[in-house]
Amino acid sequence: MNHFFRALVTAATVALLAACTTTAQFSSNPPGAEVVYLDKVIGVTPFQYDVQDQFGWFSVYEFKATRAGHKPKVLSFAERTPLDHNNVVPKAIHFELEADAKK
């Protein structure tokens, strides 16, 4: 019975951790923008990335896109309630980048 209980707890833990990830598709206009999340470059658009839950109430997920010749763009997604941890980060994140007037 002890072995069964351990297997059950392990399966529940794996399921919980899997549920705490959102796979998001990142894109930008124009493409080729570098995206930073938690002070780390996570890719160049277009790309797909697994965003892990931050495990905190009212967490904020902030993504910054930069591309040469364009103004940086920041998109933020925030939990509004302690129960709002699912579906905070959308499955598709798109950056519309404006050309930088300074050259």
Side-chain angles (χ1 to χ4, degrees):
M1 187 69 135
N2 194 9
H3 177 67
F4 175 75
F5 180 72
R6 261 191 250 141
L8 184 62
V9 169
T10 300
T13 302
V14 168
L16 178 63
L17 291 176
C20 297
T21 301
T22 300
T23 300
Q25 180 66 40
F26 289 81
S27 62
S28 66
N29 183 27
E34 186 176 82
V35 178
V36 174
Y37 172 63
L38 298 176
D39 298 322
K40 175 183 147 197
V41 175
I42 60 171
V44 175
T45 60
F47 68 97
Q48 187 171 301
Y49 184 77
D50 292 332
V51 181
Q52 298 292 320
D53 186 3
Q54 294 181 15
F55 294 111
W57 287 1
F58 306 108
S59 296
V60 176
Y61 299 81
E62 186 172 278
F63 303 93
K64 180 179 181 180
T66 58
R67 187 176 191 276
H70 293 78
K71 296 177 183 177
K73 178 79 174 191
V74 176
L75 296 176
S76 296
F77 307 96
E79 294 176 4
R80 293 175 294 272
T81 71
L83 302 175
D84 194 22
H85 65 281
N86 290 325
N87 303 316
V88 173
V89 176
K91 295 190 185 312
I93 298 174
H94 181 75
F95 297 91
E96 282 292 330
L97 301 176
E98 294 180 43
D100 192 354
K102 300 182 233 171
K103 284 195 174 189

